[in-house]
Amino acid sequence: MTANPLAATDTEPGKEPRKELGEELGEELDRIRSEIIAARGADDARYIRTVIATQRGLEAGGRAALAVSLFPPAWAAGTAMLSVAKILENMELGHNILHGQWDWMGDPAIHSSTWEWDFLTPAEAWKHTHNHLHHTWTNVVDRDRDLGYVVFRMSADQPWYPRHLAQPLYNFVLAPLFEWGIALYDLEPETVASGSRSWRSFVTDLTGLLTKATRQIAKDYVLFPLLAGPSALPCLMGNLTANTARNLWSHTIIFCGHFPGDVQTFTEEHVEGETRGQWYLRQIQGSANIDGGGLFHVLSGNLGHQIEHHAFPDLPSNRYAEIAPRVRELCEKYDIPYVTGPLWRQYGSAWGRILRFAVPTPRRPA
Amino acid sequence: MPALPALMGRLLTTASWLTSPLAPDDYLGLIDPLLDARLPAGRVTAVRPQTPDATTLTLRPGRGWAGHRAGQYLAVGVEIDGVRHWRTYSLTSVPDRADGLLTITVKAAPGGRVSPRLAHRTPPGTVLRIGPAQGEFVLPDRLRDRILFVTAGSGITPAMGMIRTLVRGRTPPPDVLLLHSAPGADDSIFSDELHAAERRLTWLSYGEHHTRPHGRLTPDALVRLCPDWRERETWACGPAGLLDAMEDHWSGAGLRERLHVERFRLAPVAPPDPCAAPGGRALFTRTGTETAADASTPLLAVGESAGVPMPYGCRRGICFGCLVPLTYGRVRDLRTGEIHDGTGQLIQTCVSAAAGPVSLDA
């Protein structure tokens, strides 16, 4: 919609006639939702199984090539295959399966309750902070911890502290180490410090993380390099590169999903007594899409369709592309901003926001 | 040769460090579903019609299959339109067959979703998920001298597994009488095989009761057909009416412990309009709490107000943090009206209400 997302700032949420618009919009979105639910079938099941088979094939191929990675072309091919495999595993498989998008198939092998991913954070911990806290309280200051991931200031509704001056630096460090950042974040250490959670529960979660992380680290940085024998060092470097590439990529996609300039944030007063329609509206106003082709969307876990994902987090990801034009049409009809743009622009815009709120800005009146 | 599987198992456990967080089985299963031991599967190798509506499927079980005892049943998972549906069928094959194959005989239920597909549209080569063998309706290690089987319809299937096992057995079999009830001769599953066996074997007698001309099989008729029923250890499988009547009759004679009964658990019948389904009582099996559940209150709220510690999350159907297995009955998704009735299926309690009596594993 808008020409220059960098220039835009949080719009005043109180100004929109939320109520009337919300309910009509909600009914129309509910209709889209039930249509897709009724249409889910064998083709969707085939899609997710194809992605799974492709991902495992790429991973096995990448590992095999890295086992002989003293030979430089094998290193390049192995690292590329493993990077793509890890990206698919994380984004299109892990993120979406853990959302319950494929629970309807009744296949215990592809189910939110059984799936575990190649990521430091155990699935259970992540489902709590992501599916529950983030998706329920999208962009609500003080409720959605994803809004700034505790360390960033991303909205004029958040108070400024001098430490925020360094947030461009944090982000620069966070990007290649994203899975470590998320692992620490999912432990919710600040809830123990503030006394709202017991030490015992924290230690349980920490043990879970350490157990999981040990296996993941041992696999990539000890066992596979050892098996590669003379190729140990290039194999280790290949694995490190693949993990870093995955981290950079998921950080990029995720920061572009909620932080480009036009995306709104909300206050707790704002969401009090929120209806289903208003909830939908907030999901749309609090998310940003990224334009791209089919392959881009698969590799981004279809989070280029972040708006559709936030409106319908449990619909199969392969269906977002077909819903997107209809959601966009509704936004035009009701004059709701539909924030979208090419990757470079959304990325620049997200960085713009990190820079902008690093310095003190006047707080918005509540 | 137990050394080889044991070694294989150890190797796979070690390899799981390389496939973490997946298991080696996840990769093996992509090569061939039968190699996946965690989610056992079977491949249909032969399809043989028995009657117009009953078909015998021969399955080659994969790595996860741990064997069975005669009379047990197994769960079969069939994928229809991307959704896996589970049903249970009695095993009709002899345990530990030399060729390792299993057989089940499926009778197509009119209007059913799964059984017509299995009976009529399952070509050889189809891979079906299978569960472990289950059930206590089995032949004991020490047999009485005389045995009676009373079966009706597809209730003959577990008895057939036992009779075939007795036929193949090394020890001299006991005297066996099988009384089977079916609408007519054409509907009688295994009829040819049983008649042939009866002619060949001195210890086996087989009688058919046809309900179309003669009405239902009653305990009085049974007693007439088998005068020495008091001396026989009896296994019965069929519709609830027949089994109830038999239980009463045997109990009345003080011989209830001589009667073994297998009830096929049927899915509850759908009300004509699922959206109009009334609520019911909800049983939370872990805590043993039972309470009223109306058709519009989410089961999460029902459980919590009854003091059941329920898993919860967003309370609006987004986060899948409240999944609980359904152990009995049917629930309605309050957002879509969709009905879920799969036993063991995980349901979102925050957006599901009771549609009739339900029980949840919480």
Side-chain angles (χ1 to χ4, degrees), chain A residues 181-226:
Chain A
I182 294 296
L184 291 176
Y185 165 78
D186 283 333
L187 280 178
E188 302 182 73
E190 79 282 3
T191 57
V192 188
S194 69
S196 63
R197 191 163 65 121
S198 71
W199 273 99
R200 180 187 286 269
S201 131
F202 178 76
V203 169
T204 309
D205 289 356
L206 182 65
T207 314
L209 169 62
L210 291 177
T211 312
K212 173 85 191 291
T214 304
R215 282 185 82 106
Q216 297 317 105
I217 294 166
K219 177 177 75 162
D220 280 343
Y221 301 128
V222 181
L223 299 172
F224 273 107
L226 281 178

Side-chain angles (χ1 to χ4, degrees), chain A residues 47-61:
Chain A
Y47 170 78
I48 194 69
R49 294 210 170 98
T50 307
V51 178
I52 289 174
T54 308
Q55 187 275 325
R56 289 181 192 165
L58 280 170
E59 171 146 7

Side-chain angles (χ1 to χ4, degrees), chain A residues 89 98 111 114-119 121-124 212, chain B residues 21-22:
Chain A
E89 199 267 353
L98 290 175
H111 199 279
T114 59
W115 191 265
E116 190 51 86
W117 54 352
D118 179 20
F119 206 56
T121 302
E124 262 328 295
K212 173 85 191 291
Chain B
L22 300 176

Side-chain angles (χ1 to χ4, degrees), chain A residues 46-281:
Chain A
R46 198 172 309 119
Y47 170 78
I48 194 69
R49 294 210 170 98
T50 307
V51 178
I52 289 174
T54 308
Q55 187 275 325
R56 289 181 192 165
L58 280 170
E59 171 146 7
R63 302 280 184 193
L66 285 170
V68 292
S69 51
L70 262 185
F71 179 56
W75 189 89
T79 303
M81 281 195 276
L82 191 58
S83 302
V84 175
K86 280 182 178 266
I87 283 168
L88 276 179
E89 199 267 353
N90 204 209
M91 312 287 285
E92 185 66 339
L93 297 177
H95 172 264
N96 294 332
I97 292 169
L98 290 175
H99 259 295
Q101 291 182 5
W102 302 95
D103 283 11
W104 59 274
M105 287 165 60
D107 186 340
I110 313 174
H111 199 279
S112 65
S113 62
T114 59
W115 191 265
E116 190 51 86
W117 54 352
D118 179 20
F119 206 56
L120 294 180
T121 302
E124 262 328 295
W126 183 82
K127 278 195 286 187
H128 173 67
T129 53
H130 181 83
N131 292 8
H132 178 187
L133 299 181
H134 169 58
H135 273 270
T136 311
W137 303 107
T138 309
N139 277 20
V140 177
V141 175
D142 291 337
R143 293 305 288 268
D144 179 7
R145 294 168 72 252
D146 278 27
L147 181 63
Y149 294 95
V150 186
V151 293
F152 297 104
R153 178 168 175 261
M154 287 298 195
S155 159
D157 291 325
Q158 292 169 296
W160 180 87
Y161 297 106
R163 61 179 161 85
H164 289 127
L165 283 171
Q167 71 180 21
L169 180 70
Y170 303 154
N171 196 36
F172 197 71
V173 176
L174 176 67
L177 298 171
F178 194 53
E179 63 178 321
W180 293 91
I182 294 296
L184 291 176
Y185 165 78
D186 283 333
L187 280 178
E188 302 182 73
E190 79 282 3
T191 57
V192 188
S194 69
S196 63
R197 191 163 65 121
S198 71
W199 273 99
R200 180 187 286 269
S201 131
F202 178 76
V203 169
T204 309
D205 289 356
L206 182 65
T207 314
L209 169 62
L210 291 177
T211 312
K212 173 85 191 291
T214 304
R215 282 185 82 106
Q216 297 317 105
I217 294 166
K219 177 177 75 162
D220 280 343
Y221 301 128
V222 181
L223 299 172
F224 273 107
L226 281 178
L227 281 176
S231 297
L233 194 61
C235 175
L236 183 118
M237 293 312 290
N239 292 349
L240 183 66
T241 308
N243 276 329
T244 307
R246 189 262 317 274
N247 285 344
L248 288 170
W249 179 249
S250 47
H251 172 270
T252 301
I253 298 300
I254 285 154
F255 271 63
C256 289
H258 293 291
F259 304 143
D262 279 353
V263 170
Q264 292 194 22
T265 59
F266 308 89
T267 59
E268 288 190 72
E269 297 80 53
H270 190 112
V271 296
E272 215 166 282
E274 189 176 57
T275 63
R276 179 154 176 81
Q278 289 165 347
W279 180 82
Y280 269 130
L281 181 60

Side-chain angles (χ1 to χ4, degrees), chain B residues 304-329:
Chain B
E304 284 180 333
S305 58
V308 181
M310 303 280 288
Y312 68 91
C314 64
R315 298 178 182 274
R316 50 175 89 189
I318 308 162
C319 81
F320 288 68
C322 61
L323 295 181
V324 165
L326 180 67
T327 44
Y328 174 79

Side-chain angles (χ1 to χ4, degrees), chain A residues 307-360:
Chain A
I307 294 172
E308 288 72 26
H309 171 59
H310 259 268
F312 312 110
D314 59 347
L315 291 189
S317 56
N318 60 322
R319 295 283 189 159
Y320 290 149
E322 91 185 62
I323 303 172
R326 298 174 64 183
V327 174
R328 192 169 186 162
E329 226 167 82
L330 283 177
C331 286
E332 273 160 27
K333 178 173 161 189
Y334 293 109
D335 200 23
I336 304 162
Y338 185 90
V339 182
T340 186
L343 182 63
W344 63 269
R345 202 167 72 193
Q346 303 299 66
Y347 190 65
S349 180
W351 264 104
R353 194 165 179 144
I354 289 168
L355 293 169
R356 182 151 43 92
F357 289 111
V359 294

Side-chain angles (χ1 to χ4, degrees), chain B residues 3 19 63 74 140 188-189 210 213 216 220 247 254 271 298 320 341:
Chain B
T19 56
R63 263 186 64 222
L74 87 170
S188 208
I189 312 173
H210 296 151
R216 284 189 184 168
D220 289 342
E247 279 180 337
F320 288 68
D341 61 2

